[in-house]
Amino acid sequence: SAGELNLDKDAFLATCWQREPLLIRSALKSFTSPLPADELAGLALEEDIESRIIEYREGDWQLHHGPFRGEDFQRDNPWTLLVQAVDHYIPEVARLRQLVDFLPSWRVDDVMVSYAVDGGSVGPHYDNYDVFLLQGEGRRRWRLGQACDSRSPLLPHDTLRILRDFESSREYLLEPGDILYVPPGIAHWGIAEGECTTFSIGFRAPRINDMVSRWADDLLEKLDPELFFRDPGIGAASRAGEISPQDMERVRAQLRAAMDLATDSRWFGAMVTEPRYEFDTDDDDLAEARALLAAGPGYIELSPAARVAWQQEPEGITVFANGQARLFSSTVLDTLATLCEDWRLDGERLACALAQADTARLLDYLLESGGIYVE
Ligand code: SIN
Ligand code: CO
């Protein structure tokens, strides 16, 4: 693992998480950056990897989209390269997610890595999500600013969301191994002092809008379309044309009764485990992996890009993997918990899991949904 965070987690959760920024000096005991800048640049050359360059030229912020070519890294103005979801490609970077394992893993989105030349910056901005900014190589000066929301004025720009105003309140120079935690909505602005790399462990949270929509879709599937509004025992209508408060009370009561039908919350787990990038499972690869699983593999491991979560319910354990949901008996819990905690299953534990019908079925489901891989 990437080690233990030098942090009082309970105090952090009680006072900082989602509320207040926090600087954690020497957050890791012995820290070496898990990815050198030239390897990061290498990732940004690849077609399927999401990368951007932000450049500041004569009062103007410019955004360039990857994939890049070697010459894109020769620029006269201060620039920053940002590569998204590096944890999907580099196991050492994926392990940084374990630093925040005191938070629910389904809240974690990805680890973005940036490289900047001296003076490079993405500009003053705020994000909608929490982020742990871990300084890799070199130094970056971070300024924290005001609380922002969707009404905060931005610079006119098609794609970049850069704040028009920035009221700096605190300033920190981050050194390798330091972490700055920034909650959603707090303006921040980091400027490289010399070349530097920054690892952003970024979180996600579903939009309430999207939650309502998923929940309603689920409810509509369960509701009998032949159910109608009813008003037995109604009083005589006294004022022609009126929708009375009593009518509205009946409406609300009948809606509440309809909503109580939606007891199952699978839509939520399915929603928050949706993968960041769509992927196709190759039938041949799956068949090969299944054969290896049957033959007794050396180990199985959570796929770095996989989103896996579970929920205990009266009927058993619902396991979510990459947006899918399936119910298993409670006997799978041990294996599942080990896998979620250690990311790996091998030796005796794996052999036992494969020998039992329920856990073998779980592993097959995780394989099919892209949750694990076998070696
Ligand atoms: C950066 O790494 O330069 C930007 C990260 C952020 O502000 O969220
Ligand atoms: Co940010």
XYZ file of all heavy atoms in Angstrom, residues 155-235:
654
model
N -14.520 33.959 -15.719
C -13.993 34.649 -16.897
C -14.736 34.129 -18.119
O -15.119 32.960 -18.157
C -12.495 34.369 -17.050
C -11.556 34.995 -16.027
C -10.106 34.643 -16.387
C -11.731 36.507 -15.980
N -14.957 34.980 -19.118
C -15.637 34.483 -20.319
C -14.727 33.464 -21.023
O -13.621 33.799 -21.427
C -15.840 35.746 -21.170
C -14.886 36.754 -20.643
C -14.596 36.403 -19.216
N -15.179 32.231 -21.071
C -14.383 31.185 -21.724
C -15.330 30.048 -22.070
O -16.218 29.722 -21.280
C -13.275 30.690 -20.781
C -12.170 29.974 -21.491
N -12.334 28.719 -22.013
C -10.907 30.347 -21.779
C -11.202 28.356 -22.588
N -10.319 29.323 -22.470
N -15.153 29.432 -23.233
C -16.084 28.389 -23.683
C -16.037 27.151 -22.807
O -17.061 26.543 -22.514
C -15.757 27.956 -25.122
C -16.013 29.087 -26.096
O -16.739 30.018 -25.704
O -15.481 29.039 -27.215
N -14.843 26.768 -22.419
C -14.708 25.459 -21.785
C -14.060 25.511 -20.401
O -14.324 24.645 -19.577
C -13.875 24.519 -22.683
O -12.791 25.271 -23.211
C -14.709 23.968 -23.816
N -13.219 26.511 -20.151
C -12.547 26.564 -18.850
C -13.393 27.341 -17.857
O -14.014 28.338 -18.209
C -11.176 27.240 -18.995
C -10.094 26.402 -19.673
C -8.838 27.252 -19.856
C -9.776 25.156 -18.864
N -13.433 26.852 -16.625
C -14.189 27.549 -15.591
C -13.206 28.242 -14.653
O -12.823 27.697 -13.634
C -15.075 26.556 -14.834
C -16.171 25.964 -15.732
C -16.888 24.790 -15.080
N -17.420 25.112 -13.764
C -16.972 24.597 -12.629
N -15.982 23.730 -12.633
N -17.521 24.930 -11.485
N -12.779 29.433 -15.049
C -11.804 30.178 -14.248
C -12.506 31.352 -13.579
O -13.264 32.082 -14.221
C -10.636 30.640 -15.133
C -10.000 29.371 -15.720
C -9.632 31.479 -14.347
C -8.739 29.538 -16.435
N -12.263 31.494 -12.268
C -12.946 32.536 -11.499
C -12.488 33.922 -11.919
O -11.290 34.154 -12.137
C -12.681 32.339 -10.009
C -13.387 31.148 -9.354
C -12.761 30.846 -7.991
C -14.884 31.425 -9.206
N -13.458 34.833 -12.042
C -13.104 36.219 -12.354
C -12.425 36.864 -11.145
O -11.453 37.601 -11.272
C -14.386 36.995 -12.717
C -14.126 38.368 -13.314
C -15.409 39.178 -13.382
N -15.885 39.500 -12.046
C -17.078 40.038 -11.794
N -17.928 40.272 -12.787
N -17.452 40.319 -10.558
N -12.938 36.550 -9.951
C -12.389 37.148 -8.734
C -11.780 36.055 -7.863
O -12.338 34.959 -7.771
C -13.503 37.829 -7.929
C -14.381 38.701 -8.822
O -13.822 39.495 -9.604
O -15.621 38.551 -8.755
N -10.687 36.391 -7.230
C -10.086 35.441 -6.305
C -9.641 36.199 -5.069
O -8.801 37.099 -5.155
C -8.904 34.722 -6.962
C -8.323 33.642 -6.092
C -8.922 32.398 -6.003
C -7.160 33.876 -5.358
C -8.404 31.397 -5.189
C -6.629 32.880 -4.542
C -7.249 31.646 -4.459
N -10.255 35.879 -3.937
C -9.889 36.547 -2.688
C -9.038 35.599 -1.868
O -9.557 34.737 -1.164
C -11.155 36.926 -1.902
C -12.064 37.894 -2.638
C -13.548 37.656 -2.331
O -13.873 37.185 -1.223
O -14.376 37.909 -3.229
N -7.731 35.771 -2.002
C -6.809 34.855 -1.338
C -6.873 35.033 0.180
O -6.787 36.139 0.693
C -5.388 35.137 -1.843
O -4.494 34.252 -1.250
N -7.070 33.903 0.891
C -7.127 34.012 2.345
C -5.978 33.267 3.015
O -5.537 33.630 4.085
C -8.462 33.483 2.872
O -8.641 32.142 2.456
N -5.510 32.190 2.397
C -4.394 31.427 2.954
C -3.464 31.012 1.835
O -3.896 30.856 0.694
C -4.903 30.163 3.654
C -5.217 30.372 5.108
C -6.031 29.231 5.657
N -7.405 29.273 5.159
C -8.339 28.378 5.481
N -8.038 27.368 6.261
N -9.569 28.488 5.009
N -2.214 30.785 2.181
C -1.228 30.436 1.168
C -0.263 29.414 1.747
O 0.188 29.564 2.871
C -0.484 31.721 0.792
C 0.372 31.575 -0.419
C 1.045 32.897 -0.795
O 0.337 33.927 -0.911
O 2.269 32.881 -0.931
N 0.010 28.358 0.993
C 0.917 27.321 1.474
C 1.870 26.917 0.353
O 1.438 26.767 -0.793
C 0.151 26.055 1.869
C -0.954 26.246 2.873
C -2.285 26.079 2.495
C -0.680 26.552 4.198
C -3.312 26.216 3.410
C -1.709 26.693 5.126
C -3.019 26.524 4.722
O -4.034 26.664 5.628
N 3.118 26.690 0.684
C 4.057 26.139 -0.298
C 4.160 24.635 -0.037
O 4.641 24.227 1.015
C 5.424 26.820 -0.168
C 6.463 26.359 -1.183
C 6.023 26.684 -2.611
C 7.821 26.996 -0.887
N 3.675 23.844 -0.969
C 3.686 22.396 -0.768
C 4.967 21.759 -1.278
O 5.435 22.081 -2.370
C 2.465 21.732 -1.439
C 1.304 21.538 -0.453
C 0.633 22.872 -0.169
C 0.302 20.519 -0.960
N 5.497 20.851 -0.447
C 6.720 20.115 -0.769
C 6.319 18.660 -1.002
O 5.243 18.237 -0.583
C 7.672 20.156 0.445
C 7.928 21.532 1.015
C 9.244 22.112 0.535
O 9.961 21.414 -0.218
O 9.541 23.256 0.913
N 7.199 17.878 -1.615
C 6.862 16.471 -1.875
C 6.338 15.761 -0.622
O 6.936 15.873 0.451
C 8.186 15.866 -2.335
C 8.890 17.014 -2.981
C 8.511 18.235 -2.176
N 5.195 15.074 -0.777
C 4.618 14.332 0.350
C 3.631 15.126 1.184
O 2.965 14.563 2.045
N 3.520 16.428 0.940
C 2.500 17.228 1.628
C 1.166 17.053 0.909
O 1.134 16.845 -0.308
C 2.841 18.731 1.596
C 4.075 19.085 2.420
O 4.527 18.235 3.217
O 4.591 20.212 2.252
N 0.089 17.173 1.667
C -1.249 17.090 1.072
C -2.058 18.314 1.464
O -2.027 18.750 2.619
C -1.999 15.811 1.544
C -1.428 14.575 0.860
C -3.502 15.916 1.268
C -2.114 13.264 1.241
N -2.776 18.859 0.499
C -3.761 19.894 0.790
C -5.128 19.320 0.450
O -5.374 18.917 -0.683
C -3.485 21.148 -0.053
C -4.462 22.312 0.145
C -4.439 22.846 1.576
C -4.148 23.454 -0.842
N -6.007 19.251 1.472
C -7.376 18.803 1.226
C -8.240 20.033 0.935
O -8.187 21.013 1.680
C -7.933 18.047 2.450
C -9.446 17.954 2.409
C -10.072 17.073 1.526
C -10.244 18.781 3.197
C -11.466 17.023 1.437
C -11.634 18.739 3.113
C -12.233 17.854 2.229
O -13.604 17.816 2.134
N -8.998 19.986 -0.140
C -9.893 21.102 -0.487
C -11.318 20.571 -0.645
O -11.563 19.684 -1.459
C -9.451 21.802 -1.804
C -10.313 23.032 -2.069
C -7.985 22.199 -1.760
N -12.258 21.100 0.151
C -13.651 20.649 0.022
C -14.328 21.286 -1.199
O -13.788 22.224 -1.779
C -14.297 21.142 1.321
C -13.493 22.317 1.736
C -12.096 22.118 1.209
N -15.499 20.786 -1.580
C -16.193 21.346 -2.742
C -16.474 22.833 -2.548
O -16.774 23.272 -1.438
C -17.525 20.580 -2.785
C -17.369 19.412 -1.898
C -16.278 19.706 -0.943
N -16.342 23.596 -3.623
C -16.774 24.988 -3.602
C -15.765 25.995 -3.070
O -16.048 27.183 -3.078
N -14.615 25.541 -2.597
C -13.614 26.496 -2.091
C -12.634 26.835 -3.220
O -12.010 25.952 -3.810
C -12.848 25.915 -0.878
C -13.790 25.636 0.300
C -11.710 26.854 -0.451
C -14.400 26.877 0.937
N -12.527 28.139 -3.506
C -11.626 28.587 -4.566
C -10.192 28.202 -4.226
O -9.779 28.297 -3.065
C -11.745 30.097 -4.740
N -9.446 27.721 -5.212
C -8.036 27.398 -4.992
C -7.252 27.669 -6.257
O -7.797 27.660 -7.357
C -7.848 25.954 -4.488
C -8.524 24.909 -5.326
N -9.890 24.705 -5.297
C -8.033 24.001 -6.208
C -10.212 23.715 -6.111
N -9.091 23.270 -6.701
N -5.955 27.917 -6.047
C -5.117 28.350 -7.161
C -3.686 27.911 -6.853
O -3.080 28.386 -5.903
C -5.205 29.883 -7.292
C -4.556 30.440 -8.505
C -3.903 29.758 -9.495
C -4.506 31.824 -8.872
N -3.468 30.615 -10.457
C -3.826 31.890 -10.109
C -4.976 33.003 -8.289
C -3.588 33.100 -10.767
C -4.749 34.208 -8.944
C -4.055 34.248 -10.164
N -3.193 26.958 -7.622
C -1.850 26.432 -7.379
C -0.897 26.838 -8.486
O -1.203 26.652 -9.660
N 0.231 27.398 -8.109
C 1.218 27.817 -9.108
C 2.544 27.105 -8.839
O 3.061 27.134 -7.714
C 1.405 29.355 -9.078
C 0.038 30.039 -9.318
C 2.425 29.800 -10.121
C 0.056 31.547 -9.218
N 3.053 26.439 -9.880
C 4.291 25.675 -9.733
C 5.477 26.607 -9.490
O 5.609 27.637 -10.141
C 4.519 24.835 -10.987
N 6.340 26.221 -8.530
C 7.604 26.949 -8.332
C 8.714 26.030 -8.802
O 9.130 25.134 -8.084
C 7.768 27.350 -6.860
C 6.596 28.200 -6.385
C 6.948 29.225 -5.310
O 7.999 29.091 -4.651
O 6.158 30.179 -5.143
N 9.134 26.203 -10.021
C 9.971 25.204 -10.691
C 9.049 24.117 -11.222
O 7.830 24.191 -11.029
N 9.624 23.111 -11.871
C 8.784 22.023 -12.384
C 8.195 21.243 -11.220
O 8.878 21.037 -10.215
C 9.641 21.040 -13.174
C 10.123 21.534 -14.507
C 11.044 20.489 -15.111
O 12.253 20.526 -14.814
O 10.530 19.621 -15.848
N 6.952 20.788 -11.358
C 6.394 19.961 -10.293
C 5.281 19.044 -10.785
O 4.711 19.258 -11.855
C 5.917 20.822 -9.122
S 4.310 21.560 -9.327
N 5.018 18.013 -9.992
C 3.869 17.142 -10.267
C 2.951 17.111 -9.041
O 3.412 17.192 -7.900
C 4.284 15.686 -10.594
O 5.101 15.176 -9.543
C 5.035 15.603 -11.908
N 1.654 17.017 -9.310
C 0.642 16.972 -8.250
C -0.316 15.816 -8.522
O -0.747 15.635 -9.665
C -0.141 18.301 -8.204
O 0.769 19.369 -7.968
C -1.188 18.285 -7.090
N -0.603 15.035 -7.486
C -1.553 13.919 -7.597
C -2.856 14.332 -6.921
O -2.850 14.618 -5.720
C -0.971 12.663 -6.915
C 0.263 12.159 -7.605
C 1.491 12.782 -7.416
C 0.195 11.075 -8.469
C 2.629 12.346 -8.067
C 1.334 10.624 -9.129
C 2.548 11.256 -8.935
N -3.931 14.378 -7.678
C -5.221 14.790 -7.113
C -6.114 13.576 -6.925
O -6.595 13.007 -7.906
C -5.960 15.752 -8.044
O -5.152 16.836 -8.385
N -6.315 13.191 -5.668
C -7.258 12.106 -5.386
C -8.628 12.771 -5.339
O -8.956 13.486 -4.400
C -6.917 11.402 -4.061
C -5.442 10.964 -4.071
C -7.856 10.214 -3.822
C -4.928 10.500 -2.719
N -9.390 12.549 -6.389
C -10.641 13.283 -6.566
C -11.842 12.432 -6.198
O -11.851 11.224 -6.421
N -12.846 13.068 -5.639
C -14.059 12.368 -5.225
C -15.175 12.645 -6.206
O -15.057 13.498 -7.087
C -14.422 12.785 -3.800
C -13.517 12.119 -2.791
C -12.194 12.508 -2.668
C -13.973 11.070 -2.022
C -11.345 11.863 -1.773
C -13.129 10.433 -1.128
C -11.815 10.826 -1.011
N -16.253 11.896 -6.076
C -17.450 12.156 -6.863
C -18.650 12.077 -5.942
O -18.605 11.440 -4.891
C -17.587 11.179 -8.026
C -17.641 9.718 -7.635
C -18.359 8.874 -8.678
N -17.549 8.468 -9.810
C -17.976 7.590 -10.735
N -19.178 7.058 -10.643
N -17.205 7.260 -11.739
N -19.710 12.736 -6.330
C -20.972 12.659 -5.596
C -22.063 12.747 -6.647
O -21.970 13.566 -7.557
C -21.081 13.807 -4.601
N -23.070 11.880 -6.536
C -24.132 11.953 -7.551
C -24.911 13.252 -7.431
O -25.092 13.766 -6.333
C -25.016 10.745 -7.216
C -24.717 10.389 -5.803
C -23.313 10.833 -5.529
N -25.315 13.813 -8.552
C -26.205 14.972 -8.534
C -27.565 14.552 -7.991
O -28.073 13.492 -8.362
C -26.452 15.468 -9.962
C -25.392 16.335 -10.518
C -25.759 16.740 -11.947
N -24.559 17.052 -12.681
C -23.954 18.241 -12.628
N -24.474 19.220 -11.925
N -22.836 18.450 -13.286
N -28.142 15.398 -7.150
C -29.483 15.090 -6.622
C -30.469 14.919 -7.788
O -31.300 14.008 -7.791
C -29.963 16.196 -5.652
C -28.989 16.361 -4.479
C -31.376 15.888 -5.151
C -28.943 15.224 -3.485
N -30.338 15.758 -8.800
C -31.159 15.625 -10.008
C -31.127 14.214 -10.582
O -32.158 13.643 -10.929
C -30.585 16.542 -11.096
C -31.407 17.781 -11.239
O -32.475 17.882 -10.656
N -30.913 18.727 -12.012
N -29.909 13.705 -10.721
C -29.745 12.367 -11.310
C -30.277 11.295 -10.369
O -30.820 10.283 -10.816
C -28.273 12.097 -11.622
C -27.767 13.001 -12.741
O -28.614 13.476 -13.536
O -26.553 13.238 -12.821
N -30.111 11.531 -9.058
C -30.647 10.561 -8.098
C -32.167 10.487 -8.216
O -32.749 9.407 -8.241
C -30.236 10.942 -6.673
C -28.797 10.563 -6.361
S -28.157 11.249 -4.814
C -29.411 10.830 -3.662
N -32.807 11.647 -8.300
C -34.276 11.673 -8.419
C -34.699 10.952 -9.694
O -35.633 10.144 -9.699
C -34.810 13.130 -8.414
C -36.289 13.166 -8.790
C -34.590 13.761 -7.052
N -33.959 11.188 -10.759
C -34.337 10.583 -12.028
C -34.194 9.058 -11.991
O -35.071 8.327 -12.446
C -33.522 11.266 -13.137
O -33.170 10.382 -14.124
N -33.090 8.570 -11.398
C -32.890 7.118 -11.315
C -33.918 6.462 -10.400
O -34.459 5.399 -10.690
C -31.477 6.813 -10.790
C -30.378 7.206 -11.754
C -30.290 6.240 -12.911
N -29.751 4.976 -12.498
C -28.544 4.531 -12.832
N -27.758 5.255 -13.604
N -28.129 3.367 -12.412
N -34.164 7.121 -9.286
C -35.122 6.606 -8.321
C -36.518 6.556 -8.945
O -37.253 5.579 -8.823
C -35.093 7.512 -7.087
C -36.166 7.278 -6.099
C -36.188 6.317 -5.140
C -37.367 8.029 -5.961
N -37.349 6.419 -4.414
C -38.079 7.459 -4.902
C -37.899 9.131 -6.632
C -39.316 7.945 -4.488
C -39.128 9.619 -6.228
C -39.820 9.024 -5.166
N -36.872 7.635 -9.679
C -38.199 7.693 -10.304
C -38.334 6.626 -11.398
O -39.379 5.990 -11.518
C -38.438 9.080 -10.877
N -37.279 6.421 -12.173
C -37.312 5.361 -13.205
C -37.603 4.019 -12.563
O -38.400 3.230 -13.068
C -35.955 5.257 -13.915
C -35.752 6.393 -14.906
O -36.733 7.117 -15.181
O -34.612 6.553 -15.382
N -36.910 3.776 -11.442
C -37.064 2.514 -10.729
C -38.498 2.368 -10.212
O -39.127 1.323 -10.351
C -36.056 2.502 -9.571
C -36.033 1.185 -8.856
O -35.722 0.176 -9.506
O -36.352 1.165 -7.643
N -39.011 3.464 -9.645
C -40.368 3.463 -9.095
C -41.402 3.215 -10.201
O -42.335 2.427 -10.041
C -40.615 4.808 -8.408
C -41.984 5.022 -7.777
C -42.265 3.964 -6.721
C -42.063 6.414 -7.153
N -41.212 3.881 -11.337
C -42.177 3.752 -12.437
C -42.250 2.314 -12.943
O -43.305 1.854 -13.383
C -41.814 4.703 -13.577
C -42.059 6.177 -13.252
C -41.574 7.076 -14.371
C -43.534 6.427 -12.971
N -41.117 1.611 -12.865
C -41.124 0.208 -13.299
C -41.972 -0.660 -12.383
O -42.518 -1.668 -12.797
C -39.697 -0.339 -13.307
C -39.042 -0.242 -14.661
C -37.599 -0.694 -14.610
O -37.300 -1.675 -13.891
O -36.774 -0.038 -15.274
N -42.039 -0.255 -11.116
C -42.747 -1.088 -10.141
C -44.223 -0.731 -10.036
O -45.032 -1.544 -9.616
C -42.102 -0.918 -8.765
C -40.696 -1.465 -8.738
C -40.187 -1.591 -7.332
C -38.800 -2.169 -7.315
N -37.777 -1.124 -7.149
N -44.560 0.512 -10.362
C -45.945 0.973 -10.171
C -46.875 0.386 -11.215
O -46.547 0.339 -12.396
C -45.992 2.498 -10.272
C -45.704 3.286 -9.018
C -45.768 4.779 -9.333
C -46.702 2.941 -7.917
N -48.058 0.002 -10.770
C -49.101 -0.492 -11.665
C -49.684 0.705 -12.428
O -50.232 1.630 -11.807
C -50.179 -1.173 -10.798
C -51.349 -1.669 -11.625
O -51.332 -1.481 -12.862
O -52.275 -2.238 -11.012
N -49.583 0.729 -13.750
C -50.096 1.880 -14.499
C -51.625 2.002 -14.406
O -52.187 3.045 -14.742
C -49.649 1.614 -15.933
C -49.333 0.171 -16.006
C -48.978 -0.283 -14.620
N -52.281 0.959 -13.948
C -53.753 0.990 -13.842
C -54.235 1.469 -12.469
O -55.382 1.271 -12.096
C -54.334 -0.401 -14.144
C -54.102 -0.849 -15.588
C -54.614 0.190 -16.611
O -55.760 0.637 -16.474
O -53.824 0.557 -17.505
N -53.327 2.048 -11.710
C -53.681 2.620 -10.413
C -54.036 4.087 -10.632
O -53.277 4.806 -11.290
C -52.444 2.507 -9.524
C -52.588 2.265 -8.046
C -53.441 1.044 -7.746
C -51.193 2.088 -7.439
N -55.209 4.542 -10.080
C -55.645 5.922 -10.302
C -55.889 6.652 -8.990
O -56.114 6.018 -7.959
C -56.934 5.933 -11.141
C -56.746 5.404 -12.537
C -56.901 4.049 -12.808
C -56.372 6.253 -13.579
C -56.709 3.545 -14.082
C -56.187 5.749 -14.856
C -56.356 4.394 -15.114
N -55.851 7.938 -9.077
C -56.196 8.804 -7.945
C -57.608 8.460 -7.467
O -58.506 8.262 -8.265
C -56.128 10.270 -8.407
C -56.636 11.259 -7.402
C -55.869 11.595 -6.300
C -57.888 11.851 -7.558
C -56.340 12.509 -5.371
C -58.361 12.771 -6.626
C -57.581 13.094 -5.532
N -57.797 8.386 -6.143
C -59.119 8.055 -5.590
C -59.526 9.080 -4.534
O -58.666 9.602 -3.818
C -59.080 6.662 -4.946
C -59.014 5.513 -5.966
C -58.810 4.161 -5.283
N -59.688 3.978 -4.114
C -60.950 3.559 -4.173
N -61.512 3.267 -5.318
N -61.659 3.417 -3.071
N -60.862 9.347 -4.453
C -61.324 10.257 -3.410
C -62.676 9.852 -2.825
O -63.633 10.626 -2.863
C -61.347 11.715 -3.912
C -62.059 11.854 -5.252
O -62.616 10.851 -5.767
O -62.050 12.973 -5.790
N -62.738 8.614 -2.266
C -63.985 8.205 -1.625
C -64.240 9.072 -0.378
O -63.287 9.541 0.240
C -63.715 6.744 -1.227
C -62.238 6.652 -1.109
C -61.667 7.611 -2.109
N -65.515 9.284 -0.053
C -65.876 10.035 1.151
C -65.668 11.523 0.997
O -65.587 12.261 1.993
N -65.553 11.973 -0.214
C -65.302 13.388 -0.497
C -66.493 14.242 -0.045
O -67.640 13.796 -0.098
C -65.039 13.537 -2.013
C -64.451 14.902 -2.360
C -66.311 13.285 -2.818
C -64.114 15.023 -3.846
N -66.231 15.485 0.398
C -67.314 16.418 0.735
C -67.857 17.070 -0.540
O -67.205 17.039 -1.582
